[in-house]
Amino acid sequence: MAGTKGAETSARLVESMLELIQRHGYSGTGLNAVVEHAGAPKGSLYFHFPQGKEALGEQAVGLAAARFGTLLSDSALPSATPGEVVRHVIDVLAGMLTDSDFTLGCPVSVVTLEMGTHSQRLRDACADAFESWIAPLTEYLVAHGRPRPAARSTATAAVSMVEGAMIVSRAQRSAEPLRCAAETLATLLDQSTKAAS
């Protein structure tokens, strides 16, 4: 029972860290705010994360990576074209942005931009997160007939374009940059898949 309660507290802290990073950035997220947001006992943060904020941030990045990875895998149905997959994923992201009034961004890009030159631990966590999206998209494109080097290149470009579009959408307070990215990527992916087959 104690182990379950401890795991629940740890999970709430990570969840709160993730949400607060999305809203306020990594630097703008204080540990006291995380504890308060999580409704956790004051001493619980250093009990569960004795290495402090970087360890908690690393876990939050991992959670964000897993959630986006789930969105990708759930969207990549065998019957769906690569273009349909990209449109669905971006539609979900655009909905998240508009529903939050453009206050929620991608926590992985936020942490990368803020901490990439300051923390090897967080930089590695962000690199792993991006790779966890590029690798399955690469395999999906290979399964749809793309040669592996071209599939890897296309998957890297696709993830990069979506990340950039998220940032521009937040700046402009409009989902239009994401919609443009969706149409461009969908056309590119479906045309390249047809050419490969």
Side-chain angles (χ1 to χ4, degrees), residues 33-71:
V34 174
V35 171
E36 182 179 343
H37 187 275
K42 285 190 175 181
S44 62
L45 193 141
Y46 284 103
F47 175 78
H48 293 289
F49 299 96
Q51 294 176 310
K53 186 176 179 180
E54 281 193 10
L56 185 57
E58 180 182 41
Q59 290 296 310
V61 167
L63 178 59
R67 286 186 175 166
F68 188 73
T70 298
L71 172 60

Side-chain angles (χ1 to χ4, degrees), residues 47-127:
F47 175 78
H48 293 289
F49 299 96
Q51 294 176 310
K53 186 176 179 180
E54 281 193 10
L56 185 57
E58 180 182 41
Q59 290 296 310
V61 167
L63 178 59
R67 286 186 175 166
F68 188 73
T70 298
L71 172 60
L72 272 176
S73 62
D74 288 350
S75 303
L77 302 174
S79 59
T81 69
E84 289 169 341
V85 171
V86 165
R87 281 192 182 96
H88 179 259
V89 168
I90 293 180
D91 189 55
V92 171
L93 296 177
M96 180 195 78
L97 270 182
T98 55
D99 289 348
S100 72
D101 195 28
F102 299 93
T103 61
L104 294 183
C106 173
V108 180
S109 62
V110 168
V111 174
T112 301
L113 292 170
E114 288 188 29
M115 299 303 296
T117 59
H118 304 296
S119 168
Q120 181 71 42
R121 181 176 193 161
L122 291 173
R123 183 169 57 251
D124 288 346
C126 292

